[in-house]
């Protein structure tokens, strides 16, 4: 599998017309690696590092619905590297992603969520004792390399704006570990741009969720020896989390159906569909009108198919 830098992902108009705003979407779901998404964008950088460091196996963490684990185990398999996935036994239902992870012959090690970090350390120690050189990737591709992936995406957005003589007033996306948001915010800071980047949380609540984004931003800025920023720079919105990770409602299903019908784009109930709905609500609540708005499609196409039955019954 080629994991070299891919071309900038497409940005195009949406049919959405809410409050006379102009809506655009950046299609990171079309990154040409293992069904794409933000985890593919991050994985490219992690695997360059893996090759550079000459690691011979990969250890990471995620639930059975994890896009990150699908992509990491897919690329690892293509490189002939054994992949170990520490997975919380609380979320072990079968999904399209978990089936693919099995297909790629990753070794899934289940443990209670409270024992995850202990289990990771134990596995890494064990591999080292056996003479291996394991590479550890944090869950979701968190860390400065993951942040770098979205500083790069921010550059692509700038290029699009320069070519089309337009400027996005808002960038919306779904925020989980906050790495995607941290990268976008760092891109904005490095370019001294004045716009709003709005992360719609898919799980975490504030103040914790917002703080993790801020810590990632400052950790990245630190690596460049740049000045730190404050919490006011982080718009991490937890109003649309509902009952937490994976929780959704009828309005989200309706939104997913509408976007599929009018734009032919698949969204899902855990990440992108939830955030798209959250974006609509946020725009209504804050009376945002006549603006240029970019939504980033962060991927998760296999989850769309997991949700398809629910959509039909909606
Ligand atoms: C993991 C994931 C996210 C969350 O990204 P973070 O960088 O962890 O905030 C968003 N969308 C999709 C489809 C994901 O798989």
């Amino acid at each position: 599998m080629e994991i070299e830098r891919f071309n900038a992902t497409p940005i195009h108009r949406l049919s959405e017309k809410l409050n006379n705003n102009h809506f655009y979407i950046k299609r990171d779901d079309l990154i040409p690696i293992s069904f794409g998404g933000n985890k593919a964008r991050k994985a490219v950088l992690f695997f360059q590092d893996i090759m550079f460091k000459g690691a011979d196996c990969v250890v990471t963490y995620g639930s059975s619905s994890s896009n990150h684990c699908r992509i990491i185990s897919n690329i690892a398999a293509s490189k002939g590297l054994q992949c170990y996935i520490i997975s919380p036994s609380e979320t072990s239902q079968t999904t399209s992603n978990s089936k693919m992870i099995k297909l790629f012959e990753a070794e899934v090690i289940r443990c209670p969520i409270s024992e995850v970090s202990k289990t990771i350390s134990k596995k890494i120690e064990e591999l080292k004792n056996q003479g291996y050189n394991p590479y550890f990737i944090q869950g979701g591709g968190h860390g400065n390399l993951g942040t770098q992936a979205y500083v790069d995406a921010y550059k692509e957005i700038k290029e699009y704006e320069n070519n089309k003589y337009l400027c996005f007033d808002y960038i919306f996306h779904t925020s989980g570990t906050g790495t995607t948001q941290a990268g976008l915010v760092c891109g904005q800071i490095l370019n001294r741009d004045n716009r709003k980047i709005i992360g719609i949380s898919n799980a975490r609540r504030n103040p914790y969720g917002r703080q993790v984004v801020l810590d990632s931003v400052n950790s990245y800025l630190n690596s460049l020896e740049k000045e730190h920023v404050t919490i006011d720079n982080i718009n991490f919105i937890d109003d649309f989390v509902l009952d937490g990770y994976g929780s959704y409602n009828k309005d989200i299903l309706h939104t997913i159906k509408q976007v599929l019908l009018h734009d032919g784009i698949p969204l899902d109930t855990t990440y992108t569909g939830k955030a798209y709905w959250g974006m609509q609500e946020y725009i209504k609540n804050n009376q945002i009108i006549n603006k240029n708005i970019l939504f980033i499609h962060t991927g998760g196409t296999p989850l769309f198919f997991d949700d398809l039955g629910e959509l039909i019954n909606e």
Side-chain angles (χ1 to χ4, degrees), residues 1-4 32-34 51 70-71 73-79 104:
M1 192 187 294
E2 283 293 338
I3 51 148
E4 285 162 28
I33 298 164
S34 192
M51 295 304 161
R70 173 193 81 243
I71 291 164
S73 57
N74 196 168
I75 303 175
S78 81
K79 304 280 173 210
F104 303 140

Side-chain angles (χ1 to χ4, degrees), residues 208-220:
Y208 175 66
R210 186 190 290 130
Q211 186 62 42
V212 177
V213 180
L214 179 68
D215 291 346
S216 300
V217 167
N218 283 333
S219 156
Y220 182 84

Side-chain angles (χ1 to χ4, degrees), residues 37-39 42 66-68 139-140 142 150 173-181 202 268 271-272 297-301 303:
N38 64 347
K39 305 311 185 304
K42 300 178 196 182
S66 169
N67 294 312
H68 166 73
H142 194 59
Y150 273 84
H173 67 94
T174 172
S175 208
T177 69
T179 317
T180 299
Q181 186 166 5
N202 56 50
D268 74 275
Y271 298 106
T272 53
H297 193 315
T298 46
T301 301
L303 300 180

Side-chain angles (χ1 to χ4, degrees), residues 12-297:
H12 62 84
R13 280 294 290 271
L14 286 170
S15 57
E16 177 80 62
K17 296 205 166 38
L18 179 62
N19 283 4
N20 265 331
N21 292 297
H22 307 287
F23 288 87
Y24 295 76
I25 188 164
K26 181 166 176 62
R27 302 291 304 275
D28 271 12
D29 58 318
L30 299 181
I31 290 172
I33 298 164
S34 192
F35 297 90
N38 64 347
K39 305 311 185 304
R41 195 182 269 284
K42 300 178 196 182
V44 169
L45 300 185
F46 282 109
F47 273 90
Q48 282 168 356
D49 200 36
I50 287 170
M51 295 304 161
F52 179 72
K53 295 195 168 129
D56 49 18
C57 56
V58 184
V59 179
T60 192
Y61 158 71
S63 73
S64 63
S65 59
S66 169
N67 294 312
H68 166 73
C69 293
R70 173 193 81 243
I71 291 164
I72 297 299
S73 57
N74 196 168
I75 303 175
S78 81
K79 304 280 173 210
L81 303 175
Q82 181 61 48
C83 179
Y84 301 92
I85 296 172
I86 319 301
S87 196
S89 27
E90 288 86 344
T91 48
S92 56
Q93 77 281 21
T94 302
T95 65
S96 300
N97 279 337
S98 74
K99 285 181 202 164
M100 280 190 268
I101 290 164
K102 204 165 174 187
L103 199 71
F104 303 140
E105 297 182 6
E107 189 178 308
V108 178
I109 303 158
R110 292 225 164 79
C111 67
I113 199 154
S114 56
E115 288 174 24
V116 161
S117 69
K118 199 176 77 191
T119 310
I120 291 170
S121 313
K122 217 176 93 192
K123 190 70 209 173
I124 292 173
E125 264 322 295
E126 187 187 306
L127 288 164
K128 281 184 181 161
N129 289 339
Q130 292 167 351
Y132 289 105
N133 180 17
Y135 187 97
F136 175 62
I137 306 177
Q138 285 192 57
H142 194 59
N144 282 353
L145 270 183
T147 304
Q148 179 64 51
Y150 273 84
V151 173
D152 296 345
Y154 191 88
K155 271 185 219 141
E156 296 177 10
I157 296 169
K158 290 284 287 182
E159 270 163 33
Y160 180 86
E161 289 178 316
N162 292 339
N163 289 337
K164 302 282 179 183
Y165 302 105
L166 68 86
C167 175
F168 297 117
D169 304 293
Y170 289 85
I171 300 176
F172 284 89
H173 67 94
T174 172
S175 208
T177 69
T179 317
T180 299
Q181 186 166 5
L184 295 169
V185 169
C186 287
Q188 181 184 27
I189 291 166
L190 296 174
N191 285 281
R192 297 191 177 82
D193 286 333
N194 195 6
R195 67 170 114 233
K196 284 208 156 75
I197 294 168
I198 314 279
I200 306 285
S201 174
N202 56 50
R204 286 177 183 165
R205 295 277 178 189
N206 283 326
Y208 175 66
R210 186 190 290 130
Q211 186 62 42
V212 177
V213 180
L214 179 68
D215 291 346
S216 300
V217 167
N218 283 333
S219 156
Y220 182 84
L221 292 175
N222 210 32
S223 71
L224 300 181
E225 299 181 2
K226 300 264 181 205
E227 247 180 75
H228 284 192
V229 295
T230 61
I231 202 89
D232 317 327
N233 291 272
I234 314 296
N235 296 300
F236 184 89
I237 308 301
D238 69 356
D239 298 341
F240 310 104
V241 166
L242 304 175
D243 291 332
Y245 182 78
S247 154
Y248 60 94
N249 60 24
K250 272 201 154 311
D251 292 342
I252 294 174
L253 289 174
H254 180 73
T255 298
I256 295 174
K257 204 163 160 180
Q258 291 304 308
V259 173
L260 182 66
L261 199 71
H262 296 297
D263 295 290
I265 300 170
L267 303 175
D268 74 275
T269 53
T270 302
Y271 298 106
T272 53
K274 196 173 183 177
Y276 194 100
W277 165 73
M279 170 178 76
Q280 291 173 321
E281 295 300 305
Y282 185 94
I283 287 170
K284 287 186 232 164
N285 297 343
N286 292 280
Q287 296 170 9
I288 297 169
I289 48 168
N290 284 323
K291 299 290 185 197
N292 289 326
I293 295 174
L294 179 68
F295 180 82
I296 301 186
H297 193 315

